[in-house]
């Protein structure tokens, strides 16, 4: 075997997955068909939950702005603006972070952990046998010629046109594109900022300064027909569409690059088929809205990485991988729902005006603001851990544990810092020797940390709890208010059989 896992695609999802796999002890090779990164940045930030994922691994400061990235309390849903802080901990995500920077940060992190990133390597074929065999074999075009590579698992993180998905024969149902929209990084222009977009009679435009002399613009003209994926677009077309919508002539400027996108919406029917898995845009494509695409891919990787590493290193059984599709496919389905809804509200022209007015009225209510903020920030994600029918289940179960200050044996810490190593954490809030004894057979996979909650939280998230088991992806798998009932079963489910069995 060439590695435990071969990841195809060195975008944010593939690089995040590579780092997660290395934290879990798996050998990983990342293949990307481009000889060098393009430097282009379709994405310009990430959601609040993706920001938390980076913080859980200790890499948030690598984005160059310390742990306090620029975030906006005001966001939008389909262009209807409202205050996201109606939901505790929510905001409209980190703004102004080019995707090229995100990729560079993740590439440095993954490579530093030992990931083997190979550029100029294009997957050409996938051998039969990946469904029922013990490995996946691919044919790869490399700078040194065509070669075959094998690994127990192959993960496609290679975008919406995923070669891996097509070679594996995984269906990609959804809706066709109905319109074309443009984006460009323009130069030599003095543009009015339109950070959250402006809807006008002939379409919608966004504009935001990227750096001195460069603005990102998005142009969504009404009635622009869908285009072939092989089409190209020129700055002249973009300038003409901008003038048609805004009345402003930008043709005297230039562009560092131009592109187009669509409102096509699709989701892979299976996130796993045998030895092949999918993550990021390879598993779901949709109308861009609020940086959710990149952010969902990063969360796919955070969910899959520790599970796949546990399986390939023999710490857990193959059934653990089934929870990846079970947990992330519903998240992807909900993502497609919310982006389609936003497209209808924001880009629907005059026909959508009554809908926009209704949304504007609804966002006057706290419960609606909290609900919509949870959807767009991804802070509302809750995995079904089989306790949904249990009325006694704690509200934290299946949800992410927010960043909370703690006092441990070595002084001040917090719930995210405890996750930097990518391991499970059993948080003992009362110094219970019986808890530590019960978890001892999993000591190589789960860190038991005795700590006390901050006085500010004693009536909050951890109130009334004596212990919390947090998975490596930050989601809560078990809670207790005394005793260890069910702990062994839960530890076995997520971290494999106890040592000695």
């Amino acid at each position: 075997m060439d590695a435990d896992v071969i990841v195809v695609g060195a975008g944010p999802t593939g690089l995040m997955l590579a780092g997660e796999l290395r934290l879990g002890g798996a050998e990983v090779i990342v293949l990307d068909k481009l000889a060098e990164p393009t430097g282009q940045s379709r994405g310009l930030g990430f959601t609040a939950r993706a920001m938390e994922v980076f913080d859980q691994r200790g890499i948030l400061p690598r984005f160059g702005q310390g742990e306090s990235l620029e975030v906006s309390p005001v966001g939008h849903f389909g262009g209807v603006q409202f205050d996201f802080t109606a939901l505790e901990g929510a905001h409209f995500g980190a703004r102004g972070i080019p995707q090229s920077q995100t990729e560079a940060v993740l590439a440095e992190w993954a490579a530093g952990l030992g990931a083997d990133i190979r550029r100029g390597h294009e997957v050409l074929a996938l051998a039969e046998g990946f469904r029922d065999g013990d490995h996946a074999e691919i044919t790869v075009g490399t700078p040194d010629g065509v070669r075959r590579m094998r690994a127990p698992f192959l993960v496609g993180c290679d975008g919406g046109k995923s070669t891996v998905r097509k070679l594996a024969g995984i269906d990609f149902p959804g809706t066709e594109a109905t319109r074309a929209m443009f984006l460009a990084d323009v130069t030599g222009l003095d543009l009015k900022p339109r950070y959250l977009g402006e809807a006008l009679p002939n379409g919608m435009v966004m504009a935001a300064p990227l750096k001195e002399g460069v603005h990102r613009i998005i142009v969504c003209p009404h009635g622009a027909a869908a285009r072939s994926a092989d089409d190209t677009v020129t700055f002249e077309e973009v300038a003409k569409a901008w003038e048609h919508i805004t009345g402003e002539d930008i043709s005297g400027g230039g562009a560092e690059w131009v592109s187009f996108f669509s409102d096509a919406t699709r989701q892979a029917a299976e996130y796993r088929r045998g030895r092949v898995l999918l993550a990021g845009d390879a598993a779901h494509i949709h109308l861009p809205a609020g940086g959710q695409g990149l952010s969902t891919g990063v969360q796919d990787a955070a969910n899959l990485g520790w599970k796949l590493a546990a399986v390939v290193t023999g710490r857990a059984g193959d059934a653990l991988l089934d929870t990846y599709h079970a947990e992330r496919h519903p998240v992807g389905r909900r993502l497609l729902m919310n982006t389609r809804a936003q497209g209808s509200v924001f880009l629907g022209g005059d026909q959508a005006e009554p809908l926009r007015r209704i949304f504007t009225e609804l966002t006057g209510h706290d419960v609606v603001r909290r609900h919509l903020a949870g959807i767009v920030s991804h802070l509302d994600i809750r995995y079904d851990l089989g306790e949904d029918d249990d009325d006694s289940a704690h509200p934290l179960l299946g949800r992410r544990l927010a960043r909370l200050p703690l006092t441990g044996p070595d002084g001040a810490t917090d719930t995210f810092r405890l996750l930097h190593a990518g391991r499970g954490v059993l948080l003992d809030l009362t110094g219970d020797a019986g808890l530590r004894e019960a978890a001892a057979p999993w000591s190589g996979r789960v860190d038991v940390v005795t700590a006390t909650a901050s006085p500010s939280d004693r009536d909050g998230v951890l109130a009334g709890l004596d212990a919390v088991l947090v998975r490596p992806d930050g989601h809560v798998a078990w809670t207790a208010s005394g005793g260890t009932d069910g702990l062994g079963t839960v530890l076995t489910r997520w971290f494999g059989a106890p040592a000695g069995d």
Side-chain angles (χ1 to χ4, degrees), residues 433-452:
L435 187 73
R436 295 192 296 275
E437 182 181 355
W442 290 269
S443 61
R445 290 160 271 176
V446 177
D447 297 325
V448 181
V449 178
T450 300
T452 56

Side-chain angles (χ1 to χ4, degrees), residues 17-148:
L17 179 61
E20 292 291 298
L21 287 164
R22 287 300 301 137
L23 285 175
E27 296 296 324
V28 57
I29 295 172
V30 181
L31 306 179
D32 196 280
K33 67 180 181 181
L34 298 179
E36 298 290 340
T38 66
Q40 297 179 1
S41 298
R42 285 177 172 253
L44 283 178
F46 32 80
T47 67
R49 180 57 189 147
M51 187 172 169
E52 289 185 343
V53 170
F54 295 145
D55 204 3
Q56 288 171 179
R57 295 299 179 258
I59 58 177
L60 198 58
R62 299 191 185 198
F63 288 90
Q65 301 180 49
E67 295 189 18
S68 299
L69 295 178
E70 180 183 349
V71 299
S72 171
V74 177
H76 72 91
F77 189 91
V80 177
Q81 298 181 21
F82 64 97
D83 188 346
F84 273 43
T85 59
L87 178 67
E88 185 176 358
H91 50 75
F92 197 50
R95 303 293 92 191
I97 307 296
Q99 183 172 325
S100 58
Q101 181 183 354
T102 302
E103 291 180 3
V105 166
L106 293 175
E108 181 183 35
W109 174 63
L113 291 170
D116 182 354
I117 302 172
R118 304 182 186 180
R119 298 191 179 274
H121 285 61
E122 182 177 6
V123 175
L124 304 174
L126 172 64
E128 292 294 332
F130 68 89
R131 292 179 179 86
D132 304 312
D134 62 359
H135 68 277
E137 180 178 305
I138 54 176
T139 304
V140 184
T142 82
D144 299 319
V146 176
R147 60 165 296 191
R148 292 184 178 180

